Amino acid sequence: MEINMGAFKTLLREKFNNNQSEMSKSLGINRHQLNMILTHNGKNAGKKVIGAIIRYCDTNNYNFRDYIFLT
């Protein structure tokens, strides 16, 4: 699995006004971890981050398949 970075960055911009601290808090992950994912275009996003995105989508009625590529 990998993150759809285009959709993920759009979510950050539109829902969180580009505020990484707010997004990381909503996802339940460390802000530094989120920054590393954004900086490295989704590389090394582990199961904790993928799971956090899926939980966030379930809670907020988003389709996680828009944000996660199932490979």
Side-chain angles (χ1 to χ4, degrees):
M1 288 187 271
E2 59 186 76
I3 299 173
N4 176 350
M5 289 306 295
F8 192 67
K9 288 179 179 179
T10 299
L11 180 68
L12 173 63
R13 186 177 58 251
E14 292 178 359
K15 177 76 175 167
F16 299 99
N17 294 322
N18 277 329
N19 188 323
Q20 292 181 22
S21 294
E22 288 298 316
M23 184 180 218
S24 65
K25 191 182 301 181
S26 290
L27 292 174
I29 61 174
N30 185 291
R31 189 190 62 77
H32 176 72
Q33 189 175 18
L34 176 62
N35 183 269
M36 293 300 289
I37 290 165
L38 292 167
T39 301
H40 294 106
N41 208 29
K43 296 200 182 344
N44 299 323
K47 57 185 170 183
K48 179 181 178 183
V49 174
I50 300 292
I53 294 169
I54 292 171
R55 276 190 307 279
Y56 177 82
C57 289
D58 285 346
T59 302
N60 293 285
N61 296 317
Y62 292 113
N63 184 352
F64 77 88
R65 287 179 176 86
D66 292 339
Y67 301 96
I68 305 291
F69 293 129
L70 303 175
T71 54

